[in-house]
Structure formats: structure tokens, C-alpha cells
Amino acid sequence: MKNLVLFFSIAVIALLLISCEAEDRGYLPSYSGSGGELIVVCSNPLWNGPFGDSIQAVFRTPVYGLPQDEPQFDLVHTTAPDFKRIFKTFRNVIYVDLDSTRMTKPEAQMKRNVWAQQQLVFFLKASESKELFKIISEEGYKMSEAFNTMELNRLYARNKRMGEKKIGKKIKENLGYEIITQQDAFLVNDTSSSIWLRIEREKPKGGFQHQISQGILLNVLPYVDRSQFLDSNILVLRDSLMKANLPGPSEGSYITTEYKYIPPKIEEINFNGHYGVEIRNLWRMENNFMGGPMISYFILDEERDNIIALTGYVYCPQFDKREFLREVQAIMRSVVIPEPA
């Protein structure tokens, strides 16, 4: 089989927030589709065969740490003749070109802003269906990371344009770190070492309005040594921070880690050039009946001997959680650690 040629940068799939605004082409329309939607353009035989199965296996992998299974992406399939008008402006696109007369190596080429602003498109080109299957088998998860990162980029760009700038300024004054917040966010507590940021709204469903609560706890702690980043130590530390700073609606209630159903998933990450860990799992309300998904980042600022601890949670029992958790994640991923003086 011909060797695979990849034309997308590994840097793009790193978990870095890169503003899309600099690459926007003003004459293009805005992207369409809801958060997490991905359209796959290929023939019906391809979609109904092993290639389509491989797409489903990669891009519909459940998001870890949600109370009910939700896929990484909501997939939409169409064929090339039907790929026009609103489909062309879809936010995330995989466009498949299978040409049996093709003599060159199979390609996976990534492009931004092809038919719409802030759009991400992967062009897959091959002469045989088995080559397309190989592309997805070997590179599909990197493509998934790229699409997920682009979703965060869009939220970051939106928050930078429409977010609560006064809150970001207040956080920088108190803690020394810049963060881009979402519209309608408000501060509950703010001190020189801790910030509790919340977003409260309602959304209709079944003829009734239902609560959607999102929150972020930001703490700055002294760094002593790497043992603080051991799995057991960091979970104990996070639980103590939540108990002290995230009280619930009734007396004696507070947010804590739910260990019973989904074990915390802890991974080391590169957070914009700084060592960190990401934690995904569920939370529950001690002495109350509430719970939902949670994501945390613990980041090492070696220059200032600080640990930046971020924990974001979502409470929306009537709705899917994936996109609400992504909104929280985009705010946390926007934290900027100042360069050394």
C-alpha cells in the first residue's frame, strides 16, 4: 500500500487555544451547524462499508466523564452532489475524494476557512477504499483532536469578542493570571488566592424552563515539589479546595468528587508550554441530590512557584452535557501564564 502523506500540523492538534480571528477571511459566510456537529461527504457505498464504520468508531467514541454516553461528535452524512448551500458552511467537514485513476499517494490534508469562516475541513484523497480506511485507522484520533481543538477555538474567539471583560480584569488583578470569560458570567467569591465564577441560565424543554448551571473554581497555590501532582495527592487537594470554596444550596452541602460510578481519568498534558494534568470525572453534592460532569486542570507555573488549579462543573439534568462542559473547558483553557519578566 502506498505510504500516507499527511498535510496537517501536529501543532494544530495540541491542546492550545489559537485565536481564529487572524485567519478569518471577511468575504466568507459564517460557519453553520451546532457545536460538535461533523459532516462527512462521501458516497453511499463508502459510508455503508468499512470506511463508514471506521468513521463511526473514531468520531462517535463516547466523551469520558459524562453521566450518560454522548459521542465526541454528532455525525451527518451527505454525498458530493448534495454537498451545497448550507452543507458547505458546516463548521466541521471531512470531504472524501475516492478516485481509482489517482496515481499519487493517499492524502489527509487539513484546511481552515475553505467555504466559511472558522471552518475546519479535512480532505481525504485516495485511489482505493482500503487506503481511506487506513487513513482513519492511523490518523483518525488526531483528526478528532483537531476538530475538538477547533471547537474550543471558536468558543475562545466568541468569548474574547463578547465575554465579560471586567471579570477578566478583576481576576488578573487578584490572581495575576489572565482569563477570557463567557458572556453572562459573574463572580461569587474573589480573593487573592481563589475565584468562583458562575454562569446561570434557563432553557426551555417540554414546555418548561430548566436550569443550566456552570461554574469554575480557580485557585493559585504554592508549588513545593512534583509529589503534589501525584494522582492520589492531586485528588485529595482538589476535594479540599471544592469543600472549602464550592458550597451547595443547603447547609453543610458542597461539591465533591464522585468516585463510585466513573473513576477519575488523569492525564499529563502540555498546557501552552507548561506542565499540567487534566482530570475528567463526575461530581456530586455532599448532603444534597445534585451531580454532573466535571473537568479540572492543574498547571505548574515554575517561574512563580505556583500551581494554578482550575475545576469546572456543569449541572443540567434535563439536557445533554457535552457542549456545556466544552464551554467551561474553553474558559479554563484561556488562562494565560505571563512570560518571565
Side-chain angles (χ1 to χ4, degrees):
M1 182 176 291
K2 307 181 189 77
N3 292 327
L4 174 64
V5 179
L6 296 176
F7 287 89
F8 61 95
S9 169
I10 297 301
V12 177
I13 66 171
L15 292 177
L16 301 174
L17 284 178
I18 305 168
S19 174
C20 302
E21 296 171 325
E23 294 191 18
D24 282 352
R25 292 151 61 188
Y27 56 86
L28 290 175
S30 298
Y31 63 84
S32 61
S34 300
E37 284 189 326
L38 168 61
I39 190 167
V40 182
V41 185
C42 67
S43 68
N44 287 322
L46 274 178
W47 181 251
N48 295 322
F51 171 75
D53 292 342
S54 66
I55 287 281
Q56 299 269 355
V58 171
F59 295 98
R60 286 189 55 81
T61 301
V63 177
Y64 191 89
L66 300 184
Q68 294 86 31
D69 279 354
E70 295 182 44
Q72 294 283 341
F73 297 95
D74 300 318
L75 297 181
V76 178
H77 169 246
T78 191
T79 61
D82 292 327
F83 184 62
K84 50 191 174 182
R85 296 178 183 172
I86 192 170
F87 280 157
K88 279 202 168 183
T89 61
F90 244 62
R91 61 204 297 136
N92 303 310
V93 180
I94 295 177
Y95 192 98
V96 180
D97 180 9
L98 181 62
D99 182 359
S100 60
T101 65
R102 181 182 177 85
M103 301 301 293
T104 56
K105 297 176 181 179
E107 298 177 3
Q109 186 176 15
M110 185 183 76
K111 290 187 177 181
R112 295 172 67 172
N113 307 328
V114 179
W115 298 290
Q117 295 185 36
Q118 296 186 11
Q119 181 187 56
L120 184 63
V121 182
F122 273 94
F123 291 94
L124 309 186
K125 301 178 182 181
S127 60
E128 300 177 272
S129 60
K130 62 182 180 181
E131 293 175 342
L132 293 171
F133 179 83
K134 182 177 175 62
I135 291 175
I136 297 302
S137 298
E138 294 183 354
E139 306 297 335
Y141 287 102
K142 293 179 182 178
M143 293 167 59
S144 179
E145 287 184 47
F147 283 124
N148 271 313
T149 299
M150 192 64 181
E151 289 287 5
L152 293 175
N153 287 347
R154 295 185 188 105
L155 291 170
Y156 172 83
R158 182 198 70 181
N159 292 344
K160 191 173 183 180
R161 185 175 65 253
M162 302 172 60
E164 299 291 344
K165 293 178 174 58
K166 290 183 179 179
I167 291 180
K169 183 179 179 181
K170 180 72 171 177
I171 293 173
K172 187 173 183 180
E173 289 174 354
N174 284 10
L175 301 182
Y177 297 97
E178 184 178 352
I179 188 169
I180 307 298
T181 63
Q182 188 171 309
Q183 190 177 26
D184 299 329
F186 62 94
L187 292 176
V188 181
N189 291 327
D190 60 285
T191 69
S192 60
S193 62
S194 179
I195 294 285
W196 183 12
L197 179 73
R198 290 177 62 180
I199 303 160
E200 299 290 338
R201 51 186 152 163
E202 292 184 340
K203 184 178 178 180
K205 184 177 181 180
F208 298 93
Q209 293 291 115
H210 298 281
Q211 178 186 7
I212 300 170
S213 295
Q214 297 159 288
I216 294 172
L217 177 64
L218 169 57
N219 295 92
V220 177
L221 311 165
Y223 170 66
V224 179
D225 57 50
R226 282 295 180 103
S227 68
Q228 292 169 278
F229 283 89
L230 293 175
D231 290 2
S232 56
N233 291 343
I234 211 162
L235 291 173
V236 170
L237 173 60
R238 187 180 66 168
D239 279 344
S240 67
L241 292 173
M242 292 191 296
K243 183 176 182 179
N245 296 286
L246 296 179
S250 57
E251 185 176 354
S253 63
Y254 56 88
I255 290 180
T256 189
T257 303
E258 174 58 83
Y259 291 98
K260 186 175 180 181
Y261 301 105
I262 301 177
K265 182 180 180 181
I266 304 176
E267 294 183 330
E268 293 184 334
I269 62 168
N270 180 332
F271 192 101
N272 298 352
H274 297 268
Y275 174 80
V277 297
E278 178 189 89
I279 311 170
R280 288 180 177 267
N281 62 283
L282 298 176
W283 64 271
R284 64 179 177 85
M285 188 70 72
E286 185 74 19
N287 299 319
N288 203 286
F289 299 98
M290 298 174 68
M294 177 167 61
I295 184 169
S296 299
Y297 294 102
F298 283 73
I299 311 142
L300 176 58
D301 179 2
E302 290 181 304
E303 178 69 20
R304 296 162 188 82
D305 286 329
N306 285 337
I307 295 175
I308 305 167
L310 295 137
T311 291
Y313 64 87
V314 170
Y315 178 71
C316 54
Q318 302 297 326
F319 303 100
D320 289 339
K321 282 73 173 172
R322 182 190 67 197
E323 294 307 311
F324 294 121
L325 188 63
R326 199 195 305 272
E327 288 181 344
V328 170
Q329 185 184 10
I331 296 173
M332 294 193 292
R333 295 290 316 192
S334 75
V335 168
V336 176
I337 299 176
E339 294 293 329

